[in-house]
């Protein structure tokens, strides 16, 4: 895979090439890309600015058709893009293909919303007047994305931004730019006018500030600390911000839970996609009556997973994304043991047919919610179990967290499920379902510090990607 920056409808080399490597086979190079220089990023922002009036005025049916075509192309090339995704990020092939199809579906969804744009008409308090409330594009959008959803995440930001009449400059994570290059090619092929979508690759710390300063709005997904930095930067220019950040999501398991279901949703939430999901479960808050059974069954579930090369047909869990994250995960487990956690499954490296960053699904038991392992996001296949006495304590522990993204409960009691749903301070709650696994037609996001600003996806995206205009009209007709 070779990819350049896409600026004002042109494929352009930046200042220096960089490479990506396969986490399933660390000696295999996946792609060669080109890091945009500061002036490339400035030109991308300027191109988006020039293109914005034309795109805003672009015929709405033509805009919808174009987004639909982009969705069609993503789905038609799901195997090719999914394979690239799996090689670059390490998700299993079905996960890579599934994510690409989901990206295509996001484009289809937002294609439909183009023609659903509406305003409101009000009577006025003044005779002979009326008031119109309409929504307009916010303008030029900077989109900055992390490595863990290399195609779906850029897609849901870009599709929504374009649907609402904005132009975009996308900067994907440096570890996984390949899917963003594929997206740019597809948007070009679909017929997007020059400058409406631009892609710049390279370091966030160089490109980020330039993008934030020149944009009307920033849609950012990434780590909470990076989010804090971009928010501080955006404050200087008062750039509108939408931040989707980290999580430390809890799944409560009550004594009355269906244990087969509880173990299935708990292991899915913690370990699928190598635990590299912002909404993944990292804390199991388990009532005393089922604690021992839960720990034993979860350890069995962890040990049963087949870890391996992302492209092997029988692999259920692929590698960790890169060496830095891999070492951080292993250190996280050692630190947890150091503070008294009991390692009941995984915790270390797994040998596979190729040299990769393979880590066993890991379960820590006997932890308290005060321990560092239950306070800091680990972002790997690692979860810890905390014992509680009753539903009230379970809710309190689940809420006692520096993040507020997603939280779930496993219970057969409608009363406890509703009690939990109401009391949870997370942005998304799940009843008898994994804390991860989101749908594109409803709002996605957490409360601060897991999220900041309007939510993404669904029609909620319209709140971020548009501005309200209130118009008072004196037409003189009583
Ligand atoms: P990072 O915060 O390290 O990076 C995210 C993006 O920001 C990358 O494109 C990165 O560029 C860029 N960046 C880095 N520094 C700056 C800066 N100073 N200014 C502007 N941009 C910058 O996150 P990761 O890629 O490591 O992703 C993992 C994190 O993302 C986890 O914390 C996870 O929870 C969170 N996440 C949240 C989701 C949500 O919806 N709430 C969904 C998915 C992930 P570069 O690659 O060059 O470093």
């Amino acid at each position: 895979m070779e990819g350049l920056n896409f600026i004002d409808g042109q494929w352009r080399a930046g200042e220096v090439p960089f490479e990506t490597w396969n986490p399933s086979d660390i000696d295999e190079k996946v792609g060669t890309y080109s890091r945009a220089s500061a002036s490339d990023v400035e030109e991308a922002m300027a191109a988006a600015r020039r293109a914005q009036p034309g795109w805003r005025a672009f015929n709405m049916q033509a805009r919808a058709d174009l987004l639909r075509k982009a969705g069609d192309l993503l789905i038609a090339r799901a195997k090719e893009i999914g394979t690239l995704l799996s090689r670059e990020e390490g998700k299993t092939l079905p996960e890579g293909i599934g994510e690409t199809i989901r990206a295509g579906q996001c484009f289809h969804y937002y294609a439909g919303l183009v023609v659903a744009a509406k305003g409101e008409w009000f009577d006025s308090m003044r005779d002979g007047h009326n008031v119109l409330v309409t929504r307009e594009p916010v303008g030029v959008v900077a989109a900055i994305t992390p490595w863990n959803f290399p195609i779906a995440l850029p897609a849901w930001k870009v599709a929504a931004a374009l649907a609402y009449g904005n132009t975009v400059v996308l900067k994907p994570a440096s570890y996984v730019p390949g899917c963003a290059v594929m997206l740019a090619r597809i948007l070009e092929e679909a017929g997007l006018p020059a400058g409406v979508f631009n892609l710049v690759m390279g370091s966030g710390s160089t490109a980020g500030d330039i993008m934030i300063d020149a944009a009307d709005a920033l849609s950012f997904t990434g780590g909470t600390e990076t989010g804090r930095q971009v928010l501080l930067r955006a404050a200087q220019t008062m750039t509108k911000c939408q931040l989707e950040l980290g999580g430390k999501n809890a799944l409560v398991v009550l004594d009355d839970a269906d244990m087969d279901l509880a173990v299935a949703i708990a292991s899915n939430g913690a370990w699928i996609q190598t635990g590299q999901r912002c909404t993944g479960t990292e804390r199991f808050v388990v009532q005393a009556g089922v604690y021992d059974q839960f720990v034993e069954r979860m350890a069995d579930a962890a040990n049963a997973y087949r870890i391996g090369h992302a492209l092997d047909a029988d692999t259920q869990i692929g590698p960790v994304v890169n060496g830095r994250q891999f070492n951080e995960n292993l250190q996280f487990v050692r630190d947890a043991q150091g503070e008294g956690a009991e390692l009941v499954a995984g915790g270390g490296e797994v040998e596979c047919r190729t040299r990769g960053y393979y880590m066993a699904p890991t379960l820590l038991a006997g932890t308290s919610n005060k321990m560092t392992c239950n306070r800091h996001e680990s972002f790997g296949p690692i979860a810890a179990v905390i014992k509680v006495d009753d539903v009230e304590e379970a809710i309190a522990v689940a809420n006692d967290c520096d993040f507020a993204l997603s939280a779930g409960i496993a219970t057969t009691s409608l009363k406890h499920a509703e009690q939990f749903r109401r009391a949870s301070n997370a942005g998304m709650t799940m009843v008898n379902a994994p804390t991860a696994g989101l749908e594109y037609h409803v709002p996605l996001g957490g409360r601060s510090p897991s999220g900041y600003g309007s939510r993404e996806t669904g029609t909620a995206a319209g709140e971020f990607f548009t501005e309200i205009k209130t118009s008072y009209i004196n037409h003189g007709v009583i």
Side-chain angles (χ1 to χ4, degrees):
M1 171 76 184
E2 294 204 354
L4 300 177
N5 300 287
F6 187 61
I7 299 171
D8 205 10
Q10 306 289 318
W11 291 96
R12 289 172 39 172
E15 59 182 356
V16 54
F18 69 101
E19 293 165 345
T20 59
W21 297 83
N22 188 343
S24 296
D25 185 352
I26 57 181
D27 300 318
E28 185 194 37
K29 189 166 83 178
V30 179
T32 305
Y33 306 95
S34 188
R35 201 178 297 284
S37 66
S39 65
D40 293 330
V41 181
E42 282 163 6
E43 283 184 40
M45 297 305 295
R49 178 72 59 199
R50 284 193 302 276
Q52 210 277 323
W55 182 242
R56 177 187 167 154
F58 206 75
N59 176 270
M60 76 190 306
Q61 183 63 57
R63 198 192 315 160
D65 291 347
L66 205 150
L67 294 183
R68 175 156 295 281
K69 185 166 177 196
D72 290 345
L73 291 169
L74 278 161
I75 291 169
R77 290 181 199 160
K79 183 144 188 237
E80 180 194 353
I81 299 171
T83 305
L84 173 63
L85 192 164
S86 296
R87 290 177 64 222
E88 207 156 66
E89 198 266 358
K91 274 182 199 171
T92 66
L93 186 57
E95 288 166 351
I97 292 173
E99 186 181 325
T100 312
I101 291 171
R102 183 53 62 100
Q105 290 165 340
C106 285
F107 271 87
H108 286 167
Y109 173 77
Y110 284 107
L113 285 193
V114 171
V115 293
K118 59 181 188 299
E120 286 180 298
W121 184 98
F122 289 81
D123 283 335
S124 170
M125 293 169 189
R126 285 171 280 182
D127 293 341
H129 293 59
N130 61 252
V131 188
L132 285 175
V133 179
T134 52
R135 285 190 170 267
E136 300 182 350
V138 68
V140 174
V141 171
I144 300 181
T145 52
W147 49 260
N148 64 335
F149 284 94
I151 189 68
L153 228 151
W156 75 57
K157 288 186 194 296
V158 171
L162 295 178
Y164 290 107
N166 305 285
T167 54
V168 181
V169 178
L170 168 68
K171 195 213 85 66
S174 303
Y175 290 115
V176 294
C179 289
V181 172
M182 296 300 285
L183 178 62
R185 288 179 187 169
I186 281 174
L187 288 168
E188 181 186 30
E189 190 178 332
L192 207 66
V196 172
F197 172 82
N198 305 271
L199 170 71
V200 291
M201 291 177 282
S203 140
S205 45
T206 312
D209 287 356
I210 301 168
M211 292 171 72
I212 294 165
D213 291 354
D216 297 305
L218 166 72
S219 182
F220 172 89
T221 302
T224 299
E225 267 322 303
T226 322
R228 220 181 295 277
Q229 284 172 37
V230 302
L231 187 57
L232 282 169
R233 183 76 190 194
Q236 293 171 36
T237 41
M238 294 201 191
T239 301
K240 188 178 184 182
C241 269
Q242 170 184 66
L243 311 178
E244 294 300 343
L245 308 171
K248 189 75 190 171
N249 313 297
L251 175 72
V252 168
V253 180
L254 296 185
D255 284 351
D256 65 17
D258 171 336
M259 282 309 279
D260 290 343
L261 180 64
V263 169
I265 65 175
S267 45
N268 177 305
W271 298 317
I272 289 300
Q273 290 182 23
T274 325
Q276 299 178 147
R277 295 184 286 186
C278 55
T279 47
T281 316
E282 295 193 24
R283 296 180 297 145
F284 296 122
V285 182
V286 182
Q287 204 171 351
V290 290
Y291 179 88
D292 289 341
Q293 184 192 355
F294 179 81
V295 170
E296 192 184 325
R297 291 190 60 177
M298 286 295 288
D300 291 346
N303 293 330
Y305 278 113
R306 290 185 302 276
I307 321 302
H309 194 295
L311 297 182
D312 286 355
D314 61 349
T315 294
Q316 293 174 303
I317 295 180
V320 171
V321 67
N322 57 43
R324 196 185 78 180
Q325 186 69 51
F326 182 66
N327 290 328
E328 279 178 19
N329 291 353
L330 297 178
Q331 188 59 44
F332 188 94
V333 176
R334 285 193 289 271
D335 291 347
Q337 289 179 280
E339 60 177 348
E342 182 197 351
L343 183 64
V344 290
E349 200 168 338
V350 178
E351 291 276 317
C352 293
R353 68 172 180 83
T354 48
R355 225 156 52 89
Y357 301 118
Y358 299 109
M359 180 172 181
T362 298
L363 189 66
L364 300 159
T367 70
S368 89
N369 201 42
K370 298 277 173 263
M371 288 180 177
T372 309
C373 65
N374 284 317
R375 311 302 302 182
H376 291 178
E377 186 182 37
S378 59
F379 223 60
I382 306 167
V385 197
I386 304 162
K387 191 192 284 187
V388 293
D389 287 330
D390 52 33
V391 64
E392 283 75 22
E393 187 186 354
I395 291 171
V397 167
N399 278 343
D400 176 18
C401 179
D402 296 334
F403 296 91
L405 186 56
S406 177
I409 187 165
T411 177
T412 51
S413 158
L414 178 60
K415 182 181 166 198
H416 288 151
E418 182 58 10
Q419 188 181 352
F420 171 82
R421 197 192 66 75
R422 289 182 188 213
S424 173
N425 60 11
M428 297 174 286
T429 56
M430 315 288 180
V431 174
N432 292 321
T435 57
L438 309 178
E439 301 181 14
Y440 58 80
H441 67 304
V442 287
L444 176 166
R447 297 183 187 170
S448 176
S450 287
Y452 183 92
S454 329
R455 297 292 157 87
E456 295 198 76
T457 67
T459 52
E463 288 167 29
F464 181 72
F465 289 116
T466 62
E467 287 290 344
I468 287 178
K469 180 172 279 174
T470 309
S471 305
Y472 293 81
I473 298 164
N474 178 359
H475 46 68
V477 181
I478 308 290

